[in-house]
Amino acid sequence: RSDKIFDTDDIASAKNQRMATLLGFHSNPTRTGLIEELLAKKILDLVIPSVKALYEQLEEKFHPLDMVKEVQPTLAELSAHESLDIYVTPVTRLLILRSLRQLSTVYHSVRISHFKDLVGKLNLSDNEIEKMIVAAVKDKQVQVRVDHQSGCLRFGEAILESDNMRMQLTTLATQLHKVSEIIEPPNVLNPEKTAERAAFFSLVRDNMEREHHLALNRKNIIERRKEEEERRQQEKLKHEERIRLEAEKERQRQEAERLKADAKKREQEKFAKMKAEMERDNMVSMLKSIGKDVSNVDGLTEKDRDRILDEAKESAIKARDDEAQQALDKAKRIDYITRALRDEEIPMIQQQYQTIQSADVEAHKLRCEELKKKHRADWEADIAAKAKVSKMAGHRATFEDEIMAERQAAYDEEHARLRQEAYDKKIARARRKKAEMEEREQAEAEAQEEREAALEREQAEAEERERQQQIERQREAELEAEREAEREAEEATQRAEAEARDKADAEAREREAAAPPQAGSGVPAQDGVTMDRLGTRAMIGSDVVALTMVRAAGAAAAALAAVAASGRVTTPRAAVATTTPRAAAATTTPRVAMVAAAALVVTATAARGGVA
């Protein structure tokens, strides 16, 4: 269930099953199956580079501490895309789940603050992140506990039912088998077993095609049976669903008709009740309007009600006509009174108008006289003031000159001060520009020095890398020469053994044919020949062993001489660290190699003499 991120519950599975049926799938497609189908059809080669990079970062790479930082530029591109921005939210949720899962495989617990720093560039609040973690735990997508008291996320232990623990013993057995094959190769220890193994594999290769076709046929038969069973199940489900839907539709139709009839009946009853109440209210109002008793209105018969209604209508019509006649008479009387009043008030209005007009003329004349007198008085006062002020006209020019001289001096002083301030500011600005220019030149010089130093470091690192690569290539060439010498020595040994066996067999056959049978001997002639043959084979075998050791020593000496000629020098630490015979041979000097070869030759000669 760890890879089924979107198959959250049974309801979602049922919905996915119905959708799969509508789309023509035989089973509910899983996320893993869809991804495998995309890879098989090479859909990733057709998508835009950002989407392909996003798939590689989320599904193929393992970088729990840098995942969000590497995926953030891709998310920004998706957000800017007009048709892919809707996938940013689910991809963000998937990114949180992938980070938790990868962290759970490396750490037992992670601080909450550290996890927030890792996913801080996703612009998610603490509540949203915690909700995603809780939802993932609820859906069994990851095992983690939020410990707010300690401020950390604690990842749970793997259970036996999980995918990580299910293949643990199988993985352990596979690795131990590989280690045993490295320590004790089967083809070297037991030739018979190696031959049986080779025969078995040959048989497997011969029957592989047939077994493959049989397996494919079985798989096709099983698939066809499964598809047929699924088709029958789907048809059965569709039939049952169709019957259930038809029954549900019929029940809903009957229920709707019943509700409609009940509603119509209630509406009719309500309308009849409202109509009866309206008639009663009208009857009460009419009885009140004509001054009759309304206490027994509910006990009246239909005929009495009609009679009362007719009387009320006649009374209402008569009252309306009387009111109209009275209003007409009142309007005529008011018209007559208004005409009489207007005829009487016309002479009085004309007399009042003449009186008001004469009073206005007299008031206008009086105001004109008062205005003339006031204007004359103001003119005479202005003439008198002018005569008084004309005496000071001679002193005005002197006063004005003094005031203007003071203002001119203040202006000159302020002007000089402003000019000095402007000059000082200009000097300060020039000095500041000069200092900034010097600082910029110094910074450029330091940057140039840093670039030169970095370039020198890069050149030194490149030279060092080239030297290391040259050493590696030289070491590989030496190892290849050693392996070639070993192969040649082994081939020579095998050839020598074959020649010796053939030669021994031929000599034994010649001696057996030439030697006559011995009379009176306790041992048969055939047995004597056999013993002679065994002794000859032993002698020849010792010669072969000695010859093989001599040739191996010569090959080793030649390889060591080549190593020494190549100019390799092994440090004391490397010499101490060498533990294998091949590595020891690679660090031996030519003189030691020759001594070792001579010792091998002497040993082989001694062995041959002892056997003889």
Side-chain angles (χ1 to χ4, degrees):
R1 193 184 171 99
S2 60
D3 289 335
K4 298 178 181 179
I5 296 177
F6 299 104
D7 301 338
T8 55
D9 51 14
D10 296 335
I11 297 175
S13 299
K15 291 182 178 179
N16 292 336
Q17 181 65 39
R18 288 197 296 271
M19 182 60 69
T21 304
L22 293 175
L23 294 178
F25 289 99
H26 299 292
S27 60
N28 188 11
T30 61
R31 184 174 183 274
T32 304
L34 293 175
I35 291 178
E36 292 176 355
E37 186 176 359
L38 290 177
L39 294 177
K41 294 183 179 180
K42 298 181 180 181
I43 301 299
L44 290 178
D45 297 336
L46 305 177
V47 301
I48 60 177
S50 58
V51 176
K52 185 177 181 181
L54 181 62
Y55 173 81
E56 294 175 354
Q57 292 164 354
L58 291 178
E59 301 295 336
E60 297 179 357
K61 294 185 179 179
F62 182 87
H63 47 140
L65 299 179
D66 299 329
M67 179 181 291
V68 176
K69 183 172 65 176
E70 294 183 5
V71 175
Q72 184 63 27
T74 307
L75 288 178
E77 294 182 8
L78 294 180
S79 300
H81 202 280
E82 59 181 0
S83 61
L84 300 179
D85 55 348
I86 59 176
Y87 300 104
V88 174
T89 300
V91 169
T92 303
R93 178 174 178 271
L94 179 60
L95 180 59
I96 295 292
L97 295 178
R98 288 298 186 194
S99 300
L100 285 172
R101 191 172 300 157
Q102 292 188 7
L103 289 173
S104 66
T105 59
V106 180
Y107 300 100
H108 180 69
S109 62
V110 177
R111 292 194 307 275
I112 295 177
S113 58
H114 181 58
F115 184 72
K116 290 179 181 178
D117 294 337
L118 293 179
V119 300
K121 295 184 179 181
L122 297 178
N123 297 324
L124 296 175
S125 62
D126 297 345
N127 292 332
E128 293 176 348
I129 295 175
E130 188 169 353
K131 286 181 181 179
M132 290 183 181
I133 295 175
V134 172
V137 173
K138 180 180 178 182
D139 297 336
K140 298 181 181 180
Q141 296 168 4
V142 66
Q143 293 183 353
V144 60
R145 290 185 293 110
V146 182
D147 190 353
H148 288 288
Q149 185 176 3
S150 302
C152 63
L153 298 174
R154 300 186 184 277
F155 298 101
E157 297 293 336
I159 60 178
L160 293 177
E161 289 78 6
S162 64
D163 295 336
N164 295 330
M165 297 295 293
R166 190 175 299 161
M167 302 298 293
Q168 184 179 13
L169 294 178
T170 304
T171 305
L172 179 61
T174 304
Q175 298 298 330
L176 290 177
H177 181 68
K178 291 181 180 178
V179 171
S180 64
E181 287 184 352
I182 294 174
I183 295 175
E184 296 179 358
N187 56 353
V188 176
L189 294 178
N190 195 346
E192 296 179 356
K193 188 175 182 180
T194 303
E196 293 177 358
R197 188 180 181 87
F200 173 74
F201 282 123
S202 177
L203 181 61
V204 170
R205 282 193 297 271
D206 295 339
N207 296 329
M208 185 182 299
E209 188 69 23
R210 184 174 61 84
E211 292 293 335
H212 178 64
H213 287 297
L214 292 176
L216 289 178
N217 292 332
R218 287 195 299 271
K219 183 178 179 182
N220 292 331
I221 293 171
I222 292 171
E223 289 294 332
R224 284 196 299 270
R225 290 178 180 176
K226 287 174 62 179
E227 291 176 359
E228 184 66 22
E229 182 64 25
E230 290 176 357
R231 186 182 62 79
R232 286 197 297 268
Q233 291 293 333
Q234 290 178 1
E235 290 179 354
K236 182 178 179 182
L237 291 175
K238 289 180 180 179
H239 181 67
E240 293 176 354
E241 183 70 15
R242 184 166 59 253
I243 294 174
R244 188 186 65 80
L245 291 176
E246 290 177 356
E248 183 67 19
K249 287 181 179 179
E250 181 65 22
R251 188 188 64 79
Q252 291 178 358
R253 185 184 64 78
Q254 294 177 359
E255 184 67 18
E257 291 179 355
R258 186 185 64 80
L259 293 175
K260 186 176 180 181
D262 293 343
K264 186 176 181 180
K265 183 178 179 181
R266 287 193 299 270
E267 188 69 22
Q268 291 176 354
E269 292 176 353
K270 183 179 178 181
F271 181 74
K273 186 177 179 181
M274 290 176 61
K275 184 177 180 182
E277 290 179 354
M278 291 177 63
E279 290 178 354
R280 182 183 179 281
D281 293 339
N282 292 331
M283 180 65 66
V284 170
S285 61
M286 288 183 180
L287 291 176
K288 287 182 179 180
S289 63
I290 61 178
K292 290 187 177 184
D293 187 14
V294 296
S295 58
N296 60 347
V297 66
D298 294 329
L300 296 175
T301 61
E302 188 69 24
K303 185 176 181 181
D304 294 336
R305 289 182 180 180
D306 293 339
R307 181 177 56 77
I308 293 172
L309 287 175
D310 294 338
E311 292 178 358
K313 289 179 181 180
E314 292 177 359
S315 299
I317 293 171
K318 183 177 180 181
R320 187 173 62 250
D321 294 340
D322 293 341
E323 289 177 0
Q325 186 63 37
Q326 290 176 4
L328 183 59
D329 295 341
K330 187 177 180 180
K332 289 181 178 180
R333 187 169 56 255
I334 291 173
D335 183 56
Y336 294 152
I337 294 171
T338 302
R339 287 184 180 182
L341 290 175
R342 288 180 180 177
D343 291 339
E344 293 296 332
E345 71 182 0
I346 289 175
M348 298 176 65
I349 290 173
Q350 292 178 353
Q351 184 180 359
Q352 185 180 5
Y353 173 74
Q354 294 295 332
T355 304
I356 292 172
Q357 186 177 10
S358 301
D360 290 340
V361 171
E362 293 297 332
H364 176 69
K365 290 180 179 180
L366 182 60
R367 284 196 300 272
C368 288
E369 291 296 333
E370 290 177 354
L371 182 59
K372 288 180 180 179
K373 290 179 181 179
K374 184 177 179 300
H375 185 270
R376 181 69 182 180
D378 292 341
W379 177 75
E380 291 176 354
D382 290 340
I383 293 298
K386 181 180 179 182
K388 291 179 181 179
V389 175
S390 61
K391 297 178 181 180
M392 297 183 292
H395 303 284
R396 185 183 65 184
T398 304
F399 178 76
E400 289 178 354
D401 293 339
E402 293 176 357
I403 295 299
M404 294 302 294
E406 292 178 358
R407 293 182 178 178
Q408 184 65 33
Y411 170 77
D412 294 340
E413 182 179 357
E414 182 69 15
H415 186 264
R417 185 183 65 78
L418 294 175
R419 289 189 63 184
Q420 185 64 32
E421 289 181 358
Y423 179 74
D424 294 340
K425 290 180 181 179
K426 186 175 181 181
I427 294 298
R429 190 163 55 252
R431 291 176 179 174
R432 187 169 60 253
K433 288 183 179 180
K434 183 178 179 182
E436 291 176 356
M437 185 178 295
E438 292 176 353
E439 292 178 358
R440 188 164 57 253
E441 292 177 354
Q442 184 178 359
E444 291 178 356
E446 293 176 355
Q448 183 65 25
E449 292 177 358
E450 292 179 357
R451 286 194 295 271
E452 293 177 356
L455 183 60
E456 292 177 357
R457 287 195 300 271
E458 292 178 358
Q459 291 177 354
E461 292 175 357
E463 293 175 356
E464 181 64 21
R465 285 196 299 272
E466 183 64 27
R467 188 175 65 82
Q468 292 295 335
Q469 293 175 0
Q470 183 67 23
I471 292 173
E472 291 295 332
R473 288 194 294 271
Q474 189 175 0
R475 185 181 296 113
E476 292 177 359
E478 294 168 359
L479 293 176
E480 184 63 27
E482 293 176 6
R483 288 193 291 270
E484 185 65 26
E486 291 177 358
R487 284 196 298 271
E488 292 178 356
E490 185 176 356
E491 293 175 357
T493 301
Q494 294 176 357
R495 287 195 300 272
E497 290 177 355
E499 292 174 359
R501 285 195 297 271
D502 296 341
K503 184 177 180 182
D505 292 338
E507 291 177 356
R509 284 193 296 272
E510 291 176 358
R511 284 194 297 270
E512 182 180 355
Q518 297 180 1
S521 176
V523 180
Q526 184 65 29
D527 294 340
V529 173
T530 303
M531 295 298 294
D532 191 8
R533 185 183 300 174
L534 291 175
T536 304
R537 286 187 177 180
M539 184 181 298
I540 293 172
S542 64
D543 294 340
V544 171
V545 171
L547 180 60
T548 302
M549 296 179 66
V550 170
R551 288 181 178 179
L560 295 173
V563 172
S566 63
R568 285 184 57 190
V569 177
T570 306
T571 60
R573 181 178 299 176
V576 173
T578 304
T579 56
T580 61
R582 184 180 296 177
T587 58
T588 308
T589 59
R591 184 174 182 180
V592 175
M594 296 301 295
V595 172
L600 290 174
V601 172
V602 171
T603 304
T605 306
R608 181 179 180 184
V611 174

PDB file of all heavy atoms in Angstrom, residues 160 163-173:
ATOM      1  N   LEU A 160       6.362  -6.561   9.977  1.00  0.00           N
ATOM      2  CA  LEU A 160       6.651  -7.704   9.110  1.00  0.00           C
ATOM      3  C   LEU A 160       5.849  -7.696   7.836  1.00  0.00           C
ATOM      4  O   LEU A 160       6.234  -8.279   6.831  1.00  0.00           O
ATOM      5  CB  LEU A 160       6.386  -8.997   9.886  1.00  0.00           C
ATOM      6  CG  LEU A 160       7.345  -9.271  11.064  1.00  0.00           C
ATOM      7  CD1 LEU A 160       6.918 -10.532  11.780  1.00  0.00           C
ATOM      8  CD2 LEU A 160       8.772  -9.361  10.606  1.00  0.00           C
ATOM      9  N   ASP A 163       6.636  -3.887   2.865  1.00  0.00           N
ATOM     10  CA  ASP A 163       7.430  -4.326   1.719  1.00  0.00           C
ATOM     11  C   ASP A 163       8.916  -4.427   2.055  1.00  0.00           C
ATOM     12  O   ASP A 163       9.636  -5.232   1.471  1.00  0.00           O
ATOM     13  CB  ASP A 163       7.223  -3.363   0.547  1.00  0.00           C
ATOM     14  CG  ASP A 163       5.788  -3.399   0.055  1.00  0.00           C
ATOM     15  OD1 ASP A 163       5.136  -4.423   0.281  1.00  0.00           O
ATOM     16  OD2 ASP A 163       5.334  -2.402  -0.539  1.00  0.00           O
ATOM     17  N   ASN A 164       9.392  -3.584   3.004  1.00  0.00           N
ATOM     18  CA  ASN A 164      10.809  -3.606   3.357  1.00  0.00           C
ATOM     19  C   ASN A 164      11.183  -4.876   4.121  1.00  0.00           C
ATOM     20  O   ASN A 164      12.290  -5.394   3.975  1.00  0.00           O
ATOM     21  CB  ASN A 164      11.154  -2.370   4.196  1.00  0.00           C
ATOM     22  CG  ASN A 164      10.997  -1.095   3.412  1.00  0.00           C
ATOM     23  OD1 ASN A 164      11.186  -1.112   2.207  1.00  0.00           O
ATOM     24  ND2 ASN A 164      10.663   0.000   4.070  1.00  0.00           N
ATOM     25  N   MET A 165      10.270  -5.376   4.980  1.00  0.00           N
ATOM     26  CA  MET A 165      10.573  -6.549   5.784  1.00  0.00           C
ATOM     27  C   MET A 165      10.188  -7.847   5.085  1.00  0.00           C
ATOM     28  O   MET A 165      10.660  -8.927   5.446  1.00  0.00           O
ATOM     29  CB  MET A 165       9.827  -6.448   7.111  1.00  0.00           C
ATOM     30  CG  MET A 165      10.259  -5.264   7.965  1.00  0.00           C
ATOM     31  SD  MET A 165      11.964  -5.400   8.502  1.00  0.00           S
ATOM     32  CE  MET A 165      11.843  -6.795   9.594  1.00  0.00           C
ATOM     33  N   ARG A 166       9.302  -7.793   4.111  1.00  0.00           N
ATOM     34  CA  ARG A 166       8.799  -9.011   3.483  1.00  0.00           C
ATOM     35  C   ARG A 166       9.899  -9.768   2.745  1.00  0.00           C
ATOM     36  O   ARG A 166       9.932 -10.985   2.748  1.00  0.00           O
ATOM     37  CB  ARG A 166       7.664  -8.646   2.547  1.00  0.00           C
ATOM     38  CG  ARG A 166       6.893  -9.827   2.001  1.00  0.00           C
ATOM     39  CD  ARG A 166       5.723  -9.336   1.196  1.00  0.00           C
ATOM     40  NE  ARG A 166       4.829  -8.564   2.027  1.00  0.00           N
ATOM     41  CZ  ARG A 166       3.928  -7.704   1.545  1.00  0.00           C
ATOM     42  NH1 ARG A 166       3.830  -7.533   0.246  1.00  0.00           N
ATOM     43  NH2 ARG A 166       3.138  -7.038   2.355  1.00  0.00           N
ATOM     44  N   MET A 167      10.852  -9.070   2.103  1.00  0.00           N
ATOM     45  CA  MET A 167      11.920  -9.695   1.323  1.00  0.00           C
ATOM     46  C   MET A 167      13.253  -9.680   2.049  1.00  0.00           C
ATOM     47  O   MET A 167      14.303  -9.814   1.429  1.00  0.00           O
ATOM     48  CB  MET A 167      12.060  -8.968  -0.019  1.00  0.00           C
ATOM     49  CG  MET A 167      10.800  -8.931  -0.867  1.00  0.00           C
ATOM     50  SD  MET A 167      10.260 -10.581  -1.329  1.00  0.00           S
ATOM     51  CE  MET A 167      11.610 -11.031  -2.418  1.00  0.00           C
ATOM     52  N   GLN A 168      13.240  -9.517   3.389  1.00  0.00           N
ATOM     53  CA  GLN A 168      14.495  -9.381   4.115  1.00  0.00           C
ATOM     54  C   GLN A 168      15.303 -10.678   4.073  1.00  0.00           C
ATOM     55  O   GLN A 168      16.509 -10.666   3.790  1.00  0.00           O
ATOM     56  CB  GLN A 168      14.204  -8.981   5.563  1.00  0.00           C
ATOM     57  CG  GLN A 168      15.477  -8.708   6.375  1.00  0.00           C
ATOM     58  CD  GLN A 168      15.154  -8.293   7.790  1.00  0.00           C
ATOM     59  OE1 GLN A 168      14.037  -8.446   8.218  1.00  0.00           O
ATOM     60  NE2 GLN A 168      16.143  -7.773   8.479  1.00  0.00           N
ATOM     61  N   LEU A 169      14.670 -11.826   4.354  1.00  0.00           N
ATOM     62  CA  LEU A 169      15.398 -13.092   4.353  1.00  0.00           C
ATOM     63  C   LEU A 169      15.888 -13.453   2.955  1.00  0.00           C
ATOM     64  O   LEU A 169      17.004 -13.970   2.789  1.00  0.00           O
ATOM     65  CB  LEU A 169      14.491 -14.194   4.896  1.00  0.00           C
ATOM     66  CG  LEU A 169      14.088 -14.066   6.377  1.00  0.00           C
ATOM     67  CD1 LEU A 169      13.146 -15.185   6.762  1.00  0.00           C
ATOM     68  CD2 LEU A 169      15.318 -14.076   7.264  1.00  0.00           C
ATOM     69  N   THR A 170      15.082 -13.175   1.951  1.00  0.00           N
ATOM     70  CA  THR A 170      15.509 -13.454   0.573  1.00  0.00           C
ATOM     71  C   THR A 170      16.730 -12.621   0.195  1.00  0.00           C
ATOM     72  O   THR A 170      17.692 -13.119  -0.405  1.00  0.00           O
ATOM     73  CB  THR A 170      14.354 -13.167  -0.389  1.00  0.00           C
ATOM     74  OG1 THR A 170      13.213 -13.935  -0.007  1.00  0.00           O
ATOM     75  CG2 THR A 170      14.738 -13.525  -1.814  1.00  0.00           C
ATOM     76  N   THR A 171      16.702 -11.351   0.544  1.00  0.00           N
ATOM     77  CA  THR A 171      17.843 -10.468   0.255  1.00  0.00           C
ATOM     78  C   THR A 171      19.100 -10.931   0.993  1.00  0.00           C
ATOM     79  O   THR A 171      20.206 -10.955   0.434  1.00  0.00           O
ATOM     80  CB  THR A 171      17.501  -9.029   0.656  1.00  0.00           C
ATOM     81  OG1 THR A 171      16.299  -8.636  -0.001  1.00  0.00           O
ATOM     82  CG2 THR A 171      18.613  -8.085   0.255  1.00  0.00           C
ATOM     83  N   LEU A 172      18.930 -11.321   2.279  1.00  0.00           N
ATOM     84  CA  LEU A 172      20.075 -11.803   3.057  1.00  0.00           C
ATOM     85  C   LEU A 172      20.652 -13.073   2.432  1.00  0.00           C
ATOM     86  O   LEU A 172      21.885 -13.215   2.312  1.00  0.00           O
ATOM     87  CB  LEU A 172      19.629 -12.060   4.497  1.00  0.00           C
ATOM     88  CG  LEU A 172      20.703 -12.598   5.450  1.00  0.00           C
ATOM     89  CD1 LEU A 172      21.856 -11.614   5.566  1.00  0.00           C
ATOM     90  CD2 LEU A 172      20.103 -12.897   6.811  1.00  0.00           C
ATOM     91  N   ALA A 173      19.800 -14.012   2.010  1.00  0.00           N
ATOM     92  CA  ALA A 173      20.295 -15.248   1.395  1.00  0.00           C
ATOM     93  C   ALA A 173      21.034 -14.967   0.086  1.00  0.00           C
ATOM     94  O   ALA A 173      22.091 -15.555  -0.179  1.00  0.00           O
ATOM     95  CB  ALA A 173      19.126 -16.198   1.146  1.00  0.00           C
TER      96      ALA A 173
END
